[in-house]
């Protein structure tokens, strides 16, 4: 097909009329579909149902009675080992928490604000706090830092990770810069994995602020789509340790998209100093997290292979969805020069880059025809995408047939809005 | 027996020599016993094992698929109803959280500190925050307010609850007083239940601070020792609503001492305004708590009777322990006038009031012979008991035979330390 920008006004107008008819026909279907959030669908969740049987009334607790009582604030050993394997670190670095890594991140930020890290001044006593936000990024990260009133500075990303020249400049020259949000593997939403060189540059930062921390949300560390094509981000804890910056990173992960979103287990990996500092605060906050759910997970994933096999089953559900969306994009949009999209090897999202100033209108047009997408701009701090071009596609939740309809509507809206944009010029 | 204070020096000295021999004999047993914390023992925990079977791989989720995914921030309806029944309120007032009411309390305090309630100034922006602390009280409450640097003001309690004249004076005259910690039923550690009159005086407070809150930790609301002798604290939410103070209270409870400490479920009950305010904050903090564990509880306690019956079984384990301790106190100490103790109808503690300036020494002497008690002073803010006389006895955790030994050692230490005190005078 001819690229839209190579068409003349007449051709564009004719095509627009044709597409409008198709759009009206889609509208008449009264769709009610949702591609907004990175939620697993129920068939993925069903894969984990046998885990619920591991701890039942016949379970022999005779050597684990203390797992049923108060205490063990940093988590049971089996769960620490599970997360250490997942994050390719050692269990001494791990604290296992409750059901949500988001809650751990909030809590770490809140602790920096109310009490400060390792004896540093609590952020609530400082006039100005800034956080670096690689974009596009995860809206819930940005919501936390906005909630605490921190100034967020967008940092562009490419296929290797954040623009490290810019990161170094901010972190090393401005002591009000206290943190950076990262999703280093199968990034939300671009799907890219930080290169080893980027990780090393992170590790070798010389922050102006003693309490600068990297918030390393390794949410998709085992969430590969392909057995034979995988990305693995380098171990940041080790890299920071080797670079003489052992306390600079808090790494997070969870089983929310491994077992049950809501009934999973979450963990933080960090230096021994940071761990001790966190536990001191946590000892005021909790008498221990849900160790039976930790045990449930540790029993079900009794070795590394069992987790790998489980994640392969998850990929079997997810992969056809990702591939279908990308196939439709390829078929419908490949030659039109009105958008680009990522082909991720893992994670939960495809990022679509529309023509400038088109993202909001595309999302709005989809909504009017019954398909909810993530808000345009949501992947930027304050919801502000300076080019209004990035749209996050979350293919995981709808069943395949609904996803097909939603994607077809999406490409139709991309075409319509792009033509309208081109006609404006 | 003759009261010690009626003995002459000679008699006391002779008795002291005799008791020292007994103490040495106890020491030679090399006991290692712990009566420090209000932990259920394993036989209590075993009562809840069948709950683990309610949600297994055969459970029919077809109408509850969303319980397995992200979302439902305020908890599943069944769990809200469970806690509404427990707290004698309605489910619209309830938010169901994760595994720990202590964590909810910490979080509410932290929210007051970082963001403020209902639009009021965050406490971190104010020079001075004070909290009232009825004494003796719960050390973990005091640890939270100390952690945030609030000044804690001890408020004496009697058998009806806190000294309300003093509470009214502080709350109504001092706008830096932002909260009060209460354990209103089977109080930790005195075991008393606030009278209706005390509850009504709380409800009718006219606080100087708009953001004054009652932190109503109803931890022992269903923890009766006797079916036929029970205390029930009046519903504070309703009382506050009736008094025109609907937003003045946060009420907390959990199943930590109903099912599994650590793997239970916790809840807050509060006004609709407060609930909305909390949920707004929580929406940044979490995508929802562990709804499968909420469901586990709601399935197991499918009606009010099932909970009552379960708590009767808990009482069957606890009651003999409480009665044994009190029997030994009666037998060994009744006529000696060297201590008083409570005979609680519920909860987890017996409070022992020794002669002035004796508590620390008694706890120390017990420790030297291998029995760990709660630190003397722990039930007061900053660990400071002005009379050094209150000791919290936690009979729940040791098995009966060990509890007997520990209690016998305790009364021996009470006798020894009291004589030493009397000999000083």
């Amino acid at each position: 097909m001819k690229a839209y920008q190579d068409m003349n006004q007449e051709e564009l107008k004719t095509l627009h009329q044709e597409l409008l008819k198709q759009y009206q026909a889609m509208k008449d279907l009264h769709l009610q579909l949702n591609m907004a959030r990175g939620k697993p669908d129920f068939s993925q969740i069903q894969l984990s149902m046998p885990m619920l049987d591991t701890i039942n009334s016949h379970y022999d607790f005779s050597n684990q009675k203390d797992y049923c009582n108060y205490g063990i604030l940093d988590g049971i050993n089996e769960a620490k080992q599970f997360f250490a394997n997942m994050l390719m670190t050692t269990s001494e670095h791990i604290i296992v928490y409750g059901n949500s890594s988001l809650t751990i991140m909030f809590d770490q930020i809140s602790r920096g604000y109310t009490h400060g890290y390792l004896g540093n001044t609590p952020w609530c006593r400082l006039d100005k706090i800034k956080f670096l936000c690689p974009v596009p990024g995860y809206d819930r990260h940005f919501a936390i830092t906005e909630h605490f009133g921190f100034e967020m500075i967008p940092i562009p990303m490419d296929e290797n990770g954040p623009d490290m020249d810019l990161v170094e400049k901010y972190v090393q020259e401005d002591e009000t810069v206290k943190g950076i949000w990262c999703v280093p593997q199968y990034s939300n939403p671009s799907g890219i994995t930080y290169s080893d060189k980027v990780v090393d540059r992170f590790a070798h930062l010389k922050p102006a602020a003693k309490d600068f921390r990297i918030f390393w949300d390794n949410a998709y560390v085992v969430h590969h789509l392909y057995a034979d094509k995988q990305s693995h981000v380098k171990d940041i804890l080790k890299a920071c340790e080797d670079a003489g910056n052992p306390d600079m990173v808090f790494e997070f992960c969870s089983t929310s998209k491994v077992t049950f979103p809501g009934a999973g287990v979450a963990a933080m990996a960090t230096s021994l100093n940071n761990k001790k500092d966190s536990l001191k605060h946590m000892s005021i906050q909790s008498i221990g997290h849900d160790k039976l759910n930790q045990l449930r997970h540790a029993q079900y994933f009794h070795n590394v292979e069992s987790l790998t096999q489980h994640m392969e089953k998850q990929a079997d559900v997810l992969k056809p969805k990702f591939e279908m969306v990308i196939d439709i994009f390829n078929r419908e949009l490949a030659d039109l020069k009105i958008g680009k999209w990522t082909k991720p090897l893992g994670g939960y999202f495809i990022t679509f880059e529309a023509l400038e100033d088109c993202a909001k209108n595309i999302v709005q047009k989809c909504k009017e025809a019954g398909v909810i997408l993530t808000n345009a701009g949501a992947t930027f701090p304050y919801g502000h995408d300076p080019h209004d071009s990035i749209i996050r596609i979350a293919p995981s939740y709808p069943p395949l047939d609904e996803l097909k309809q939603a994607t077809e509507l999406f490409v139709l809206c991309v075409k319509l809005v792009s033509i309208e944009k081109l006609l404006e010029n």
Side-chain angles (χ1 to χ4, degrees), chain A:
Chain A
M1 271 200 57
K2 200 168 173 182
Y4 282 12
Q5 62 202 37
D6 299 333
M7 291 184 181
N8 62 32
Q9 293 260 328
E10 215 47 48
E11 287 173 309
L12 286 172
K13 278 179 185 161
T14 310
L15 184 56
H16 190 250
Q17 285 307 311
E18 209 173 285
L19 294 170
L20 265 186
K21 275 182 213 149
Q22 293 177 27
Y23 181 68
Q24 189 56 50
M26 290 293 273
K27 253 182 148 170
D28 292 344
L29 295 175
H30 302 290
L31 301 176
Q32 275 195 309
L33 307 176
N34 194 313
M35 291 206 294
R37 302 293 333 172
K39 288 167 73 167
D41 82 357
F42 193 65
S43 67
Q44 286 181 260
I45 289 169
Q46 279 177 303
L47 297 172
S48 303
M49 289 299 173
M51 189 184 78
L52 300 176
D53 299 333
T54 56
I55 309 298
N56 60 27
S57 63
H58 305 295
Y59 186 84
D60 179 7
F61 280 107
S62 46
N63 296 317
Q64 297 171 320
K65 287 181 184 171
D66 49 345
Y67 291 8
C68 305
N69 217 315
Y70 291 112
I72 317 183
L73 188 56
D74 61 346
I76 65 171
N77 284 333
E78 298 91 325
K80 282 195 274 190
Q81 192 55 55
F82 169 77
F83 281 108
N85 294 344
M86 194 186 258
L87 296 174
M88 310 213 190
T89 183
T90 52
S91 64
E92 61 182 355
H93 291 289
I94 303 280
I95 303 176
V96 190
Y97 292 73
N99 75 324
S100 160
S101 56
L102 188 75
T103 302
I104 311 177
M105 293 178 229
F106 182 99
D107 201 56
Q108 286 297 96
I109 296 280
S110 185
R111 189 166 69 86
Y113 190 80
T114 60
H115 289 79
Y117 303 141
L118 291 173
N120 285 287
T121 307
W123 296 341
C124 70
R125 302 278 165 244
L126 302 176
D127 286 335
K128 185 86 185 167
I129 300 289
K130 294 178 193 153
F131 255 65
L132 306 185
C133 301
V135 288
Y138 180 33
D139 53 351
R140 290 188 190 272
H141 287 163
F142 304 156
I144 293 174
T145 27
E146 185 171 1
H147 189 61
F148 281 90
F150 304 166
E151 183 184 330
M152 294 184 283
I153 298 166
I155 303 288
M157 291 219 290
D158 64 19
E159 67 279 12
N160 296 310
D163 177 338
M164 290 309 294
D165 290 341
L166 210 53
V167 169
E168 284 167 359
K169 188 174 141 50
Y170 276 112
V171 171
Q172 299 181 171
E173 292 176 13
D174 186 346
E175 69 167 353
T176 69
V177 171
K178 298 297 190 184
I180 183 168
W181 289 115
C182 298
V183 184
Q185 185 174 314
Y186 304 138
S187 192
N188 176 352
S190 71
I192 65 111
T193 296
Y194 292 13
S195 70
D196 289 358
K197 197 175 161 196
V198 162
V199 174
D200 285 330
R201 285 180 74 178
F202 266 111
H204 284 88
L205 284 171
K206 300 192 190 321
K210 273 193 296 181
D211 52 354
F212 169 81
R213 291 291 182 277
I214 302 164
F215 289 74
W216 197 256
D217 183 2
N218 214 343
Y220 306 107
V221 60
V222 292
H223 300 69
H224 311 288
L225 285 173
Y226 301 93
D228 55 343
K229 284 182 289 177
Q230 298 190 347
S231 303
H232 292 273
V233 72
K234 189 172 168 170
D235 175 7
I236 182 91
L237 279 185
K238 179 73 169 47
C240 284
E241 211 175 285
D242 290 346
N245 272 326
D247 300 330
M248 200 170 56
V249 63
F250 299 134
E251 181 172 15
F252 309 96
C253 77
S254 81
T255 69
S256 294
K257 292 187 180 82
V258 174
T259 59
F260 297 96
V265 180
M268 180 170 79
T270 193
S271 71
L272 302 190
N273 272 341
N274 282 335
K275 181 173 171 178
K276 197 175 153 195
D277 197 42
S278 285
L279 284 170
K280 200 175 129 195
H281 182 88
M282 286 167 65
S283 72
I284 308 293
Q285 192 172 15
S286 170
I287 319 180
H289 293 98
D290 184 341
K291 296 178 296 295
L292 293 188
N293 206 34
Q294 293 179 9
L295 185 60
R296 219 171 258 129
H297 281 74
Q299 287 285 322
Y300 192 54
F301 300 113
H302 54 283
N303 59 24
V304 175
E305 293 69 40
S306 58
L307 176 62
T308 306
Q309 284 163 13
H310 183 83
M311 293 314 291
E312 283 171 4
K313 289 184 201 157
Q314 295 276 8
D316 288 342
V317 183
L318 278 172
K319 201 168 46 185
K321 294 185 175 181
F322 275 77
E323 291 184 344
M324 194 184 63
V325 171
I326 289 168
D327 284 349
I328 294 174
F329 287 178
N330 284 339
R331 189 186 72 212
E332 295 290 326
L333 300 174
D335 304 319
L336 305 185
K337 296 191 179 167
I338 54 173
K340 290 183 270 188
W341 52 92
T342 56
K343 291 107 186 156
L345 300 179
Y348 264 67
F349 303 103
I350 294 164
T351 295
F352 188 87
E353 188 183 346
L355 295 181
E356 192 150 338
D357 293 328
C358 287
K360 272 191 191 143
N361 287 341
I362 293 168
V363 170
Q364 178 59 27
K365 256 203 170 46
C366 283
K367 189 178 168 189
E368 283 164 17
V371 171
I372 306 297
L373 298 172
T374 309
N375 283 337
T379 58
F380 289 76
Y382 312 108
H384 177 64
D385 173 2
H387 300 291
D388 184 25
S389 65
I390 301 297
I391 298 171
R392 184 179 84 166
I393 309 279
S396 58
Y397 192 61
L400 262 177
D401 54 337
E402 293 186 7
L403 182 66
K404 184 164 181 287
Q405 279 191 310
T407 308
E408 281 166 351
L409 177 70
F410 176 78
V411 297
L412 186 57
C413 294
V414 169
K415 290 177 185 174
L416 271 170
V417 171
S418 302
I419 292 179
E420 286 160 16
K421 179 72 195 163
L422 290 168
L423 284 172
E424 265 178 33
N425 295 340

